[in-house]
Amino acid sequence: MNFSSEQAFLAQYQKSDYPSPLMTVDMAIFSVDQGQLQILLIQRSNYPQKSYWALPGGFVDLEQDQNLMACAHRKLLEKTGIDSPYLEQVASIGNAKRDPRGWSVTVLYFALINFKAYQQQIQHSEHSEWVTLEQALKLDLAFDHHDLLQQAFARLNNKTRYTALPISLMPPLFTLTELQNIYEIILGHNLEKKAFRRRMIESGVVEETDQSKIAGKRPAQLYRFALQDYDFNFPRMLEYPRHHED
Amino acid sequence: MNFSSEQAFLAQYQKSDYPSPLMTVDMAIFSVDQGQLQILLIQRSNYPQKSYWALPGGFVDLEQDQNLMACAHRKLLEKTGIDSPYLEQVASIGNAKRDPRGWSVTVLYFALINFKAYQQQIQHSEHSEWVTLEQALKLDLAFDHHDLLQQAFARLNNKTRYTALPISLMPPLFTLTELQNIYEIILGHNLEKKAFRRRMIESGVVEETDQSKIAGKRPAQLYRFALQDYDFNFPRMLEYPRHHED
DNA sequence: GTAATAGTGTCTCTTAGACACTATCTT
DNA sequence: AAGATAGTGTCTAAGAGACACTATTAC
């Protein structure tokens, strides 16, 4: 066909000329509680895959959503009550088989939130629950969510080696020992105390406050995050354990 | 509605219950020629944005394409004749405004190919042309392709600091000086010769061959890529220039 | 020989890891 | 005082940057 102008073309354009896949977003929301990395799952209240555990997510709404990120925020709020500040896109997964309703594409996001700060905030439009990552990966999750969860964790684990991202799991004031614990939980191995503290302090990602935390033994200096961007890149990566400790 | 089973639900499910966005893939294909980073553009032969330069790409075909990656490969082959081995997903961009036909999502991929090896292979289903990245970013590209191109280059540039990815731009045998030139072109600044060679050789990403290249002056040792995965991670990043040289 | 490009020797600098040490609190 | 947790001193190791040096070719 020939058109004399962009306007003429658009006037006749039928969106149904090209069938579109189903379009969803899914969120892997990580937190740390009880010394364990936790992931927020919802139990599906509708078909398909009714009553299976799944990552929170849902369909893009062409009316409501300005863009994909806005959709992710909206869905997260609807499904869990969480208004997360930081969502990072991990990847998009699309194929003919992942959803029984048809060719489907999902955009996967992840977020890190402080457990306590969001504990009240969580509401249950569907039944939601924090599950340790370990447990979650053993469950028979809906659709390909097992795979999505692995991808999201791989990203978190990797970025923990060279960014300050895990600080977004912390409350506003925290001790360096607490922060180190979070790093160790995500990485799955222990870190050297001196090296960890030096790295955090000398890079300027954290700064001392005038407060300290008294919780039993010797009081600990409280620090705060000192940058804008959790995606701060350290010049070197943390190494993997050299001998088999874990 | 209530359903007694997954089957019952799926039997009545209407895909049109939820309108889907337009779904496309776009590819940023980089190469190096004449000492410059080149990007492959096509000139659109149809509306919308007819005659604008754009990244090669197109609609996902739910019949033909098994998954998003397969779609990217198919579209690249159709539009340019290139059968690229390595495509990496960069990000997905979706919003209501990027395409005048309606709410649209694109999955952006990038690839690095050796200029000479693909020069014959390129066919012109639409008019395609290698353009230096610098020039391309000055053009008024179709849709939001200027932004997509910047995102793809940012990824390439960043990964060049800690992976062996640029080796995928090289022919099977290459000299270390040639490889260093490619790195410098992508990074936009010079690298220290000794440090560069040490890094490549001692990490084991390249290995000596028994051949050397005679091209005028002193012959140079030819190396080959020695690993499976261009995504090999060096333990440290290349630094940015310390003083203002460039 | 000179020019040009390939390649090396070796010093410094930065930052991670190791690990023993000191400090400050509760009981 | 003992126990526990916070925090430091200081050595080593790895790998990047700087830069002067040598090597091998064409002419």
Side-chain angles (χ1 to χ4, degrees), chain A:
Chain A
M1 273 184 272
N2 274 312
F3 300 97
S4 51
S5 74
E6 182 103 353
Q7 280 72 16
F9 165 81
L10 288 171
Q12 63 74 49
Y13 180 79
Q14 295 297 316
K15 215 178 142 190
S16 52
D17 284 359
Y18 248 107
S20 289
L22 301 167
M23 188 76 215
T24 60
V25 296
D26 287 302
M27 279 70 70
I29 309 299
F30 293 100
S31 196
V32 169
D33 183 50
Q34 321 252 52
Q36 296 224 262
L37 192 58
Q38 311 276 339
I39 179 86
L40 188 62
L41 296 180
I42 59 158
Q43 192 167 28
R44 292 181 57 78
S45 56
N46 293 307
Y47 288 110
Q49 308 269 64
K50 186 171 168 178
S51 86
Y52 279 75
W53 291 93
L55 298 178
F59 286 100
V60 173
D61 183 323
L62 307 192
E63 301 292 320
Q64 280 189 70
D65 300 320
Q66 282 293 301
N67 54 53
L68 288 172
M69 179 74 92
C71 173
H73 276 109
R74 176 179 64 81
K75 272 288 160 194
L76 189 59
L77 193 62
E78 283 177 18
K79 295 268 175 176
T80 68
I82 292 175
D83 187 9
S84 169
Y86 178 83
L87 277 177
E88 172 174 328
Q89 194 179 298
V90 177
S92 297
I93 297 88
N95 61 57
K97 304 287 183 202
R98 58 181 301 278
D99 189 311
R101 290 166 290 192
W103 224 107
S104 149
V105 175
T106 196
V107 183
L108 175 62
Y109 288 84
F110 86 94
L112 302 175
I113 67 177
N114 175 248
F115 194 80
K116 289 223 169 109
Y118 282 91
Q119 216 162 11
Q120 316 84 315
Q121 198 170 142
I122 289 178
Q123 287 144 20
H124 315 247
S125 89
E126 297 188 77
H127 178 216
S128 70
E129 215 164 90
W130 289 102
V131 180
T132 68
L133 179 65
E134 204 179 8
Q135 283 165 16
L137 287 172
K138 284 183 193 151
L139 292 173
D140 183 18
L141 299 178
F143 309 112
D144 55 359
H145 286 197
H146 180 89
D147 184 47
L148 301 190
L149 184 52
Q150 281 191 321
Q151 285 191 46
F153 177 66
R155 171 72 66 93
L156 169 59
N157 185 279
N158 195 43
K159 283 203 134 182
T160 297
R161 292 173 55 217
Y162 62 93
T163 70
L165 211 53
I167 301 184
S168 62
L169 289 164
M170 306 302 290
L173 299 185
F174 51 86
T175 71
L176 290 183
T177 304
E178 291 166 347
L179 183 59
Q180 184 177 341
N181 286 337
I182 302 278
Y183 268 81
E184 290 173 342
I185 288 164
I186 297 172
L187 292 172
H189 65 256
N190 291 332
L191 296 171
E192 205 55 44
K193 180 168 56 169
K194 186 65 202 292
F196 182 80
R197 301 170 82 91
R198 191 176 46 204
R199 180 176 164 101
M200 290 299 156
I201 293 166
E202 290 181 5
S203 66
V205 291
V206 299
E207 63 190 12
E208 258 186 52
T209 64
D210 52 9
Q211 297 173 66
S212 56
K213 176 169 190 162
I214 294 126
K217 317 298 169 179
R218 175 175 172 176
Q221 180 60 236
L222 283 169
Y223 288 81
R224 74 166 73 84
F225 181 55
L227 304 177
Q228 329 307 324
D229 189 4
Y230 292 118
D231 231 325
F232 170 79
N233 276 233
F234 291 97
R236 288 209 215 164
M237 292 194 179
L238 292 170
E239 294 177 12
Y240 291 115
R242 287 180 179 174
H243 314 295
H244 356 80
E245 28 155 333
D246 234 31

